[in-house]
Amino acid sequence: MDAEDLLLRQFLGIRDEELTKATAEWIRSQQRDDGTWSTFYGGPAELSTTVEAYVALKLAGDDPGAPHMQAAARHIRDSGGIAATRVFTRIWLALFGWWPWERLPEMPPEIMFLPRWLPLNIYAFGCWARQTIVPLTVVSAHRPVRPAPFALTELHTDPANPFPQRPLAPPTSWDGIFERLDKFLHAYHRRAVRPLRRVALAQAARWIVERQEADGCWGGIQPPAVYSLIALHLQGYELEHPVMQAGLAAFDRFTVHTEDGMRWLEACQSPVWDTCLATIALVDAGVGADHPALVSAVDWMIGEEITRRGDWAVQRPSLAPGGWAFEFENDNYPDIDDTAEVVLALRRVAHPDPGRVSGAVGRAVDWNLGMQSKNGAWGAFDVDNTSTLPNKLPFCDFGEVVDPPSADVTAHVVEMLAEVGMADDPRTRRGVQWLLRNQEEDGSWFGRWGTNYIYGTGSVLPALVAAGLPEDHPAIRRAVRWLEDRQNADGGWGEDMRSYEDPENWAGRGDSTASQTAWALMALLAAGEGPQGRANPAVERGVDWLVRTQLPEGTWDEPQFTGTGFPWDFSINYHLYRLVFPVTALGRYLNGTPGIGTLAGSVPRIGAAR
């Protein structure tokens, strides 16, 4: 993202030396010893990231003959060169003529005309993907090329043949079918009906502008924002236009300036998610449910409730709104996961205006129930967003582009429904049955939005117990055994991002981290292991690890990335996870797991359990 920020500014003609220097310093600081860059702490070399970082440093004036640049270029060539990078990297290079547009997959803006009942309409994609793809259809139609400030010959494996053709997959395979469809779309690009193309571009631009949030961003995340700015600029929006000004200003709010003069960008910001998790942690740890800080947090969360329709209403046009987004401003895309966790947080606090709280809770419960997919589970943003076709498009090699139901989101909704007294509701039971059907053979659950099987299992076990499954249920016992088996020798738990690519070797395996140790403990405690249930040495060793590794200021060190945007392709380090989840786990160890349906304020205060 830092490299792409420099490329965006180069494309728009607004890159300045001070910003470039600070960003380049950060990029250099993240280079691995072998000259490459990875996408998460301790991860392996990643080719596309290395290419983009190399180009950004060359923009910043780094000498290609310098040792750190030579090492990067050598790895790039050894890994197949620019030709082996992902589509999005080659799109960035095509903007400056370093890669031909003709050698990129085509995605025409006429996709805007496809009705919802046809495959590959824009609502067949997950919300993050559609917000990225719509502006990229505009970019693809314009095929702009800015003057390249330098050549990239050194990044090709064969400079005499820098843009090799890839062989087509067999025509009977899905890859082969879509590759041949792509050839047709390239031919259509050359012969597109101009009036139709103009209408499609105008409709796409209007769609983009309508989804700009109040803070100027799109979707509260970086990828849609950068491509939306490029697309609108190509459609004639000058840099002085309010839409463009607001979009560029939004990046300033994502920017972190370090004390030593470096600059880097956040992928997104998670204030709603952080606030509800912190509220749960504090109450579970024994802070009084009427504490002014918690009442203030509830007031803020209720103020963030989204009461207007967004893209989710395309599939649920008659459903009344009532949910929360992840970010400060993302009213087009409230999400089911945040909404469930906010309800759990609201229910824990003794607010002086309980009617106001119960109104928000009621709207949220109704909205989440209305967003249940037909298989009984829940995705993050949309209903029944389960088509497998979008992931097969040659254009879509940048991570997950659909939003099918997941175990972690479904578990949070089930836990929330149990909390509001709906454990026996048929819709809750359908969610429970989906979770039981989707347990892995080894006893764990896959984690879509956190890493990975530890997160999935840490989400599901508390939900199943809250929904009434007995602690001796076979599914719960298998999960407990899996967690016990995955505990590290030091007493903690950890899981590397590589479990998404190689679960056989990495599922539940990795350096111990505070957040993942806490997830495992929360699951075991919910399953009846620990001081209020069965004496379990695994629980005692896990708690001991958290106690031993806590820093003097009260938090934990966690450079590892334990969250995901797209599993494996887009990894996230949530800086509050290292604090909220250990506090939650330790609080539940001392005070017991929260009782379902208990009145707010009835939990013990700090010290009461001691």
Side-chain angles (χ1 to χ4, degrees):
M1 291 186 298
D2 305 296
E4 290 173 1
D5 183 64
L6 292 188
L7 288 166
L8 169 69
R9 294 172 187 277
Q10 178 74 16
F11 181 84
L12 296 177
I14 58 173
R15 185 174 64 84
D16 65 70
E17 287 307 311
E18 181 179 356
L19 179 148
T20 300
K21 180 181 178 182
T23 304
E25 286 285 353
W26 170 257
I27 293 173
R28 287 188 210 101
S29 76
Q30 301 302 301
Q31 191 172 19
R32 292 158 30 106
D33 291 340
D34 63 359
T36 65
W37 283 264
S38 62
T39 57
F40 59 88
Y41 178 85
E46 210 283 318
L47 173 62
S48 294
T49 304
T50 299
V51 168
E52 293 183 27
Y54 178 95
V55 175
L57 291 183
K58 203 167 178 180
L59 271 179
D62 286 26
D63 183 356
H68 70 290
M69 297 290 278
Q70 286 189 331
R74 183 166 50 250
H75 173 87
I76 291 167
R77 291 191 299 271
D78 290 345
S79 302
I82 289 174
T85 60
R86 60 177 172 243
V87 168
F88 273 31
T89 295
R90 284 178 281 137
I91 287 174
W92 281 104
L93 299 182
L95 293 174
F96 300 96
W98 289 315
W99 188 265
W101 286 102
E102 293 76 16
R103 290 285 195 274
L104 284 167
E106 183 74 11
M107 184 68 79
E110 286 83 353
I111 192 176
M112 300 296 298
F113 300 140
L114 294 181
R116 282 189 293 124
W117 51 268
L118 271 181
L120 302 178
N121 74 86
I122 61 171
Y123 297 102
F125 296 86
C127 73
W128 60 88
R130 84 174 66 106
Q131 290 180 100
T132 301
I133 286 170
V134 169
L136 280 177
T137 66
V138 176
V139 178
S140 178
H142 283 279
R143 296 189 175 186
V145 177
R146 298 288 190 265
F150 43 75
L152 291 177
T153 310
E154 69 273 22
L155 302 187
H156 295 297
T157 56
D158 181 5
N161 182 27
F163 315 124
Q165 287 275 20
R166 297 183 181 184
L168 294 176
T172 54
S173 66
W174 278 114
D175 286 344
I177 291 170
F178 280 105
E179 286 170 355
R180 287 158 179 83
L181 173 62
D182 184 63
K183 284 186 170 295
F184 168 80
L185 293 176
H186 273 276
Y188 173 76
H189 174 84
R190 294 189 292 272
R191 299 173 177 83
V193 179
R194 294 306 159 193
L196 184 66
R197 173 59 56 95
R198 283 194 295 271
V199 172
L201 288 170
Q203 184 168 322
R206 184 166 57 253
W207 190 94
I208 294 167
V209 171
E210 288 172 352
R211 281 155 182 77
Q212 187 176 33
E213 296 291 343
D215 63 355
C217 194
W218 281 269
I221 53 177
Q222 181 261 4
V226 291
Y227 301 119
S228 293
L229 286 170
I230 294 173
L232 293 177
H233 193 53
L234 292 172
Q235 280 296 104
Y237 283 70
E238 301 293 339
L239 294 178
E240 294 74 23
H241 192 285
V243 167
M244 298 292 290
Q245 288 288 299
L248 289 169
F251 282 118
D252 294 336
R253 288 185 284 274
F254 279 49
T255 301
V256 177
H257 295 275
T258 67
E259 293 181 357
D260 51 357
M262 294 189 284
R263 170 187 180 271
W264 58 276
L265 291 177
E266 292 183 285
C268 56
Q269 295 171 332
S270 51
V272 173
W273 187 241
D274 292 339
T275 301
C276 68
L277 293 178
T279 300
I280 291 169
L282 290 170
V283 177
D284 288 0
V287 173
D290 59 351
H291 191 286
L294 298 176
V295 173
S296 177
V298 167
D299 286 334
W300 183 83
M301 285 186 283
I302 291 177
E304 291 295 307
E305 183 188 6
I306 297 169
T307 56
R308 71 174 180 84
R309 297 179 185 279
D311 275 3
W312 55 268
V314 170
Q315 295 293 339
R316 289 291 185 267
S318 61
L319 180 63
W324 281 266
F326 185 71
E327 303 88 350
F328 285 108
E329 300 287 350
N330 193 12
D331 287 2
N332 280 300
Y333 296 103
D335 70 271
I336 291 159
D337 211 10
D338 273 90
T339 300
E341 289 294 321
V342 167
V343 169
L344 290 171
L346 296 181
R347 293 272 299 179
R348 276 169 166 75
V349 177
H351 193 274
D353 187 354
R356 182 168 174 243
V357 175
S358 63
V361 168
R363 289 187 294 274
V365 170
D366 288 344
W367 185 73
N368 263 10
L369 285 171
M371 296 295 287
Q372 188 173 28
S373 290
K374 59 188 177 185
N375 62 8
W378 284 266
F381 296 92
D382 284 306
V383 176
D384 295 321
N385 193 253
T386 56
S387 172
T388 59
L389 293 180
N391 280 326
K392 299 181 185 300
L393 289 170
F395 192 84
C396 297
D397 70 345
F398 59 94
E400 186 65 66
V401 298
V402 292
D403 183 20
S406 66
D408 41 326
V409 176
T410 299
H412 293 156
V413 177
V414 166
E415 185 178 6
M416 178 268 290
L417 293 173
E419 164 62 30
V420 298
M422 299 182 67
D424 294 329
D425 187 282
R427 293 163 292 187
T428 307
R429 303 325 298 174
R430 290 179 62 219
V432 169
Q433 290 304 313
W434 186 91
L435 290 171
L436 294 175
R437 289 195 307 271
N438 282 273
Q439 187 176 26
E440 303 291 328
E441 289 185 6
D442 60 12
S444 66
W445 278 270
F446 178 84
R448 166 62 179 84
W449 296 98
T451 315
N452 170 354
Y453 295 94
I454 293 177
Y455 181 71
T457 307
S459 300
V460 172
L461 280 191
L464 292 181
V465 173
L469 260 69
E471 295 168 359
D472 60 357
H473 189 283
I476 292 177
R477 289 298 99 200
R478 290 204 310 274
V480 167
R481 287 193 295 272
W482 181 83
L483 286 168
E484 292 171 337
D485 180 65
R486 291 303 191 272
Q487 188 172 28
N488 287 332
D490 62 9
W493 279 267
E495 184 168 351
D496 191 277
M497 284 286 175
R498 279 168 276 210
S499 67
Y500 286 111
E501 287 286 284
D502 183 11
E504 183 175 350
N505 292 307
W506 288 100
R509 304 293 189 194
D511 295 336
S512 295
T513 70
S515 60
Q516 291 166 325
T517 298
W519 296 337
L521 287 172
M522 290 160 64
L524 292 171
L525 292 168
E529 310 297 309
Q532 281 83 25
R534 304 173 187 83
N536 190 325
V539 171
E540 300 303 323
R541 296 205 319 271
V543 169
D544 180 66
W545 186 88
L546 287 176
V547 171
R548 285 187 290 106
T549 58
Q550 187 180 31
L551 300 174
E553 65 267 26
T555 187
W556 283 261
D557 184 29
E558 186 171 289
Q560 294 87 354
F561 287 33
T562 63
T564 65
F566 317 136
W568 180 250
D569 292 287
F570 197 138
S571 306
I572 301 175
N573 185 331
Y574 286 89
H575 292 83
L576 207 63
Y577 274 18
R578 68 197 67 186
L579 180 57
V580 294
F581 288 114
V583 168
T584 303
L586 293 173
R588 293 179 184 182
Y589 173 80
L590 290 172
N591 301 327
T593 55
I596 294 301
T598 55
L599 293 174
S602 65
V603 295
R605 292 178 180 272
I606 286 179
R610 295 173 178 79

